[in-house]
Amino acid sequence: MWADLAPIGRDPDSHGYRRSAWTGADADCRTWFQEQAETRGLTYETDRNGNQWAWLGDPTAGDAVVTGSHLDSVPDGGAFDGPLGVVSSFAALDELRARGATFTKPLAITNFGDEEGARFGLACVGSRLTAGKLTREAAYELRDADGVSLPEAMEAAGYDPSTIGADPERLARIGAFVELHVEQGRALDLSGDAVGIASAIWPHGRWRFDFRGEANHAGTTRLVDRRDPMLSYAETVLAARREADLAGAVATFGKIAVEPNGVNAIPSLVRGWLDSRAADQDTLDTVVTAIEKAAREYADRHGIDLDVVRESFTPVVEFEHALRDELGTILREHTGQGRDIPVLGTGAGHDAGILSESIPTAMLFVRNPTGVSHSPAEYAAEDDCLAGVRALADVLEGLACR
């Protein structure tokens, strides 16, 4: 399975993956998912929001145990973020069948669409729509860098965008959702464990900073006469790093748009997107407020107009303690070591976090020896990946085979 997925959407120059939602690479990944489902005799379906499902047992019976993740990527992303969870889900089912497990509940494997938000700027679109956290009207307003709207992209890919929206009936059939994911950090590497359990997802959001100045000639305009928004933006980037460091949080300006974007032109507009995350809401508020305050001071100093818009926000997600504890008990019993499985928080968002308010959710993490993610250097050793498959199989057996 891993070898089949490996070439899809891989850039020959960067060696990273470009699997944005509703593109050709995304379609190839979706075809792969459907083939994996049908090869195993599972009931395949695509829901109203374009998410894919592979069912073992009656999809309408209720109290189903669901696992899976996503197959799309950030620009030049790594091979493991998302696909490891989907591949491991099919592999865990194979493992349970090899054990001769008897399922007492329906089991489903899912691929949620557009988790990374690489094309339309909003993460977890598929799960947000399903959970009613993104309305059809708001989804219809999403556009990519070329001005293509989400419904236009879906339609071009062969899906009907008129059906998108909340899907409470589907969520009502699910008793538990468990997502396996490569760790996006080094906590497991530092503890020496191959697999861990998620405790919570840090609150996080995205803010757009629009610095507006005055376009002019780069060679003839005196420095003192310039209203250059790039200066205010650059100072704000440094302020973000400083404020995050002081608070023990993270803050990143990772995307920028410049107008008119000429080498010999002073910009009229510099638009930067801030991503910030922290272990708790108060810390996050403190960091973002301090960054905005600094940005406005810099803008005023250089005669720049500044607008700040919060484009998305996700509050802290505490995974259901009862399900989280049940996963710990199951894994402790199966390892036979009598030791607790590490429980750790994460600053990365996931579909499991979006769904957590609607259904009981939990996550397993697989060790990432470098901690690198959203990069071609993202990596997990084969032995650790197999340990993740076994752990997921153990959990699914404990939840769905009693």
Side-chain angles (χ1 to χ4, degrees), residues 318-339:
E318 284 278 350
F319 289 111
E320 186 183 80
H321 289 200
L323 181 58
R324 185 183 73 192
D325 294 345
E326 187 172 6
L327 262 62
T329 299
I330 291 170
L331 294 179
R332 189 165 54 248
E333 291 174 350
H334 276 270
T335 59
Q337 297 177 357
R339 64 189 294 263

Side-chain angles (χ1 to χ4, degrees), residues 34-371:
Q34 183 174 354
E35 290 173 349
Q36 295 302 320
E38 293 173 348
T39 296
R40 289 168 174 79
L42 306 178
T43 301
Y44 171 80
E45 63 174 337
T46 302
D47 68 20
R48 63 189 300 177
N49 296 307
N51 305 309
Q52 294 179 290
W53 299 78
W55 288 91
L56 177 68
D58 182 1
T60 65
D63 202 24
V65 176
V66 179
T67 187
S69 191
H70 64 95
L71 293 174
D72 66 314
S73 75
V74 298
D76 286 328
F80 294 80
D81 181 352
L84 180 62
V86 179
V87 171
S88 296
S89 297
F90 284 116
L93 173 58
D94 295 344
E95 167 68 14
L96 290 176
R97 282 175 161 171
R99 294 180 188 179
T102 300
F103 289 86
T104 56
K105 297 179 181 179
L107 175 73
I109 298 170
T110 186
N111 167 37
F112 281 106
D114 200 4
E115 194 270 356
E116 295 290 6
R119 184 172 181 183
F120 298 102
L122 178 65
C124 302
V125 169
S127 55
R128 284 182 192 271
L129 283 168
T130 300
K133 293 188 174 184
L134 175 64
T135 65
R136 179 184 303 178
E137 293 74 21
Y140 269 44
E141 293 300 315
L142 295 175
R143 279 172 169 71
D144 66 12
D146 296 321
V148 178
S149 70
L150 173 63
E152 288 171 340
M154 291 183 69
E155 193 166 28
Y159 291 82
D160 181 4
S162 68
T163 65
I164 64 174
D167 198 349
E169 297 85 1
R170 179 172 298 274
L171 293 178
R173 305 180 206 157
I174 301 173
F177 175 64
V178 180
E179 181 175 3
L180 179 143
H181 205 280
V182 66
E183 187 194 359
Q184 293 165 292
R186 291 190 58 216
L188 292 174
D189 183 58
L190 295 174
S191 70
D193 294 280
V195 178
I197 299 172
S199 60
I201 297 175
W202 287 9
H204 56 280
R206 297 177 181 180
W207 290 261
R208 192 186 76 237
F209 285 62
D210 292 344
F211 297 88
R212 299 181 187 277
E214 181 179 48
N216 214 326
H217 196 296
T220 62
T221 309
R222 297 190 311 161
L223 294 180
V224 70
D225 293 333
R226 300 183 180 203
R227 293 179 56 225
D228 186 351
M230 187 64 78
L231 296 177
S232 302
Y233 170 73
E235 290 171 317
T236 302
V237 172
L238 296 176
R241 173 60 182 262
R242 181 180 65 248
E243 297 298 337
D245 188 38
L246 288 172
V250 292
T252 307
F253 278 97
K255 180 181 177 181
I256 183 173
V258 182
E259 296 177 7
N261 203 28
V263 174
N264 59 350
I266 298 167
S268 60
L269 169 67
V270 175
R271 175 170 287 148
W273 281 264
L274 170 71
D275 179 299
S276 189
R277 309 169 190 230
D280 59 80
Q281 185 65 58
D282 288 344
T283 302
L284 180 60
D285 290 343
T286 298
V287 170
V288 175
T289 299
I291 295 171
E292 181 175 348
K293 180 175 183 291
R296 295 196 181 281
E297 290 175 354
Y298 298 138
D300 288 343
R301 183 185 308 165
H302 298 295
I304 303 301
D305 296 324
L306 172 63
D307 292 320
V308 179
V309 178
R310 189 179 79 177
E311 292 193 335
S312 67
F313 178 74
T314 303
V316 64
V317 173
E318 284 278 350
F319 289 111
E320 186 183 80
H321 289 200
L323 181 58
R324 185 183 73 192
D325 294 345
E326 187 172 6
L327 262 62
T329 299
I330 291 170
L331 294 179
R332 189 165 54 248
E333 291 174 350
H334 276 270
T335 59
Q337 297 177 357
R339 64 189 294 263
D340 289 334
I341 305 300
V343 178
L344 54 145
T346 177
H350 302 280
D351 292 311
I354 298 297
L355 299 176
S356 64
E357 291 185 15
S358 304
I359 56 177
T361 62
M363 291 191 71
L364 296 174
F365 290 130
V366 172
R367 176 166 46 195
N368 179 342
T370 65

